[in-house]
Amino acid sequence: MDTFVLVVTVAVALFFTYTNGFHDSANAIATSVSTRALTPRAALAMAAVMNLAGAFLGQSVAGTVSKGLIATPHGRSGMGILFAALAGAIVWNLITWYFGLPSSSSHALFGGLVGAALAGGVLVHWNGVVDKVIVPMFLSPVVGLVVGYLVMLAIVWFFRRSNPHKAKRGFRMAQTVSAAAMALGHGLQDAQKTMGVVVLALVIHDPSRGFGIPVWVKLVCAAMMSLGTYAGGWKIMRTLGRRIIDLDPPQGFAAETTSAAILYTTSYVFAAPVSTTHVITSAIMGVGATRRVKAVRWGVAKNIVVGWFITMPAAGCVAAVCYLVVKLVFG
């Protein structure tokens, strides 16, 4: 029975990875598709491959997720906590995907872990939650906004004497590289988060095994992320690519380059699991503001930001209810 519970929990974790893939695929490719640098299918295929590659380039974020946010729960109750956390994150992912809101799958997962842990009486490492989740949640969008603005200003200055049509054509080609870099950063961040959850499930099942990440875990998490990415997330893609601001190729390149740099830095330097959604959305806002402040549709942006801040508590509440239901049904 314990092995069966483990298999079910891992399967749910992989389904979360799949929803993460189609929910967040827009992060990597919305700007490239909206500027016609890539066709939608070509962009999705590229993003799927780069997500797969990014999943193998590190494991510091996975370590933060598996042992830095909550104390390791034990036994069947511990597996129930993990199951409830994933269920809460999946439900929130599906709700925000249905309404085309680019909320954070990462923070849905973190909120689910914290909510289920509190409901199950498991210690929450609040210092880790604050340092690795809350602070980056506030800082990464600000950094994305400011850096995106500055990068776009630099591009405008350097190419101020260039032929506009030639410059746009060149940046449309360059976006192939910047979109790939963004997709690689997405794999580096988001695939590792699910790896951390699967490793936590394995440790709950067998505490003696330790927190190392088996190769098969990397493979299946990366593969499910890539499959989800290729399934696409067209509603969210429209929000990012058109509803915030109508992007041109230089702006798309600036936003993607900014986002990729932030994702690599937070992963390798700080081991902080930041939201790719927060980073790319704020970078698009910063880039768009260089045209003129009113060029950004701040009403749409406000709705997105509100979604960011309710994601963790909403997913946490759903996860807590799921845990109580699991406990009631299975004892």
Side-chain angles (χ1 to χ4, degrees), residues 17-325:
T17 307
Y18 181 82
T19 66
N20 190 345
F22 74 69
H23 193 279
D24 289 1
S25 61
N27 296 343
I29 64 175
T31 53
S32 298
V33 173
S34 66
T35 61
R36 296 181 175 82
L38 294 168
T39 64
R41 284 300 169 193
L44 284 168
M46 177 274 297
V49 171
M50 297 307 288
N51 267 312
L52 187 66
F56 286 89
L57 294 182
Q59 58 185 42
S60 55
V61 170
T64 297
V65 173
S66 62
K67 54 187 177 181
L69 304 181
I70 65 172
T72 304
H74 300 288
R76 191 171 298 176
S77 174
M79 204 68 80
I81 289 172
L82 201 55
F83 176 88
L86 290 163
I90 290 169
V91 168
W92 188 250
N93 270 358
L94 294 176
I95 290 171
T96 51
W97 167 78
Y98 180 80
F99 288 104
L101 185 66
S103 69
S104 168
S105 297
S106 304
H107 289 95
L109 176 60
F110 305 148
L113 284 170
V114 171
L118 291 174
V122 170
L123 177 68
V124 176
H125 298 313
W126 290 111
N127 286 340
V129 172
V130 171
D131 293 345
K132 298 295 186 181
V133 177
I134 304 298
V135 171
M137 183 177 74
F138 283 97
L139 282 184
S140 59
V142 174
V143 173
L145 186 75
V146 173
V147 175
Y149 183 85
L150 294 176
V151 169
M152 192 62 214
L153 279 184
I155 288 174
V156 170
W157 190 84
F158 278 115
F159 292 91
R160 65 191 184 280
R161 293 190 179 90
S162 300
N163 180 291
H165 296 293
K166 288 184 178 179
K168 284 187 178 181
R169 191 160 53 244
F171 276 107
R172 189 171 283 119
M173 295 174 63
Q175 268 198 274
T176 304
V177 177
S178 61
M182 173 68 192
L184 190 73
H186 182 259
L188 183 65
Q189 277 278 346
D190 283 41
Q192 282 194 52
K193 292 161 190 168
T194 308
M195 289 180 202
V197 173
V198 173
V199 167
L200 184 56
L202 295 174
V203 171
I204 293 172
H205 179 70
D206 179 13
S208 65
R209 71 168 303 283
F211 285 90
I213 305 176
V215 174
W216 71 265
V217 172
K218 293 183 179 182
L219 280 171
V220 295
C221 289
M224 288 301 292
M225 175 74 71
S226 295
L227 287 172
T229 298
Y230 194 70
W234 305 109
K235 291 183 178 181
I236 294 171
M237 198 181 303
R238 282 193 293 271
T239 299
L240 284 177
R242 290 294 181 193
R243 290 183 61 204
I244 298 175
I245 185 174
D246 293 321
L247 292 168
D248 61 22
Q251 291 173 325
F253 174 82
E256 290 167 345
T257 302
T258 297
S259 302
I262 293 172
L263 292 176
Y264 298 154
T265 302
T266 51
S267 180
Y268 287 121
V269 178
F270 300 108
V274 301
S275 166
T276 55
T277 307
H278 291 188
V279 171
I280 186 61
T281 308
S282 58
I284 290 172
M285 293 177 193
V287 164
T290 60
R291 186 185 297 173
R292 65 182 189 281
V293 174
K294 290 184 179 179
V296 179
R297 299 182 182 100
W298 295 107
V300 176
K302 181 190 73 174
N303 293 337
I304 292 171
V305 172
V306 169
W308 292 352
F309 290 113
I310 67 173
T311 288
M312 279 192 69
C317 289
V318 175
V321 171
C322 287
Y323 176 73
L324 295 177
V325 171

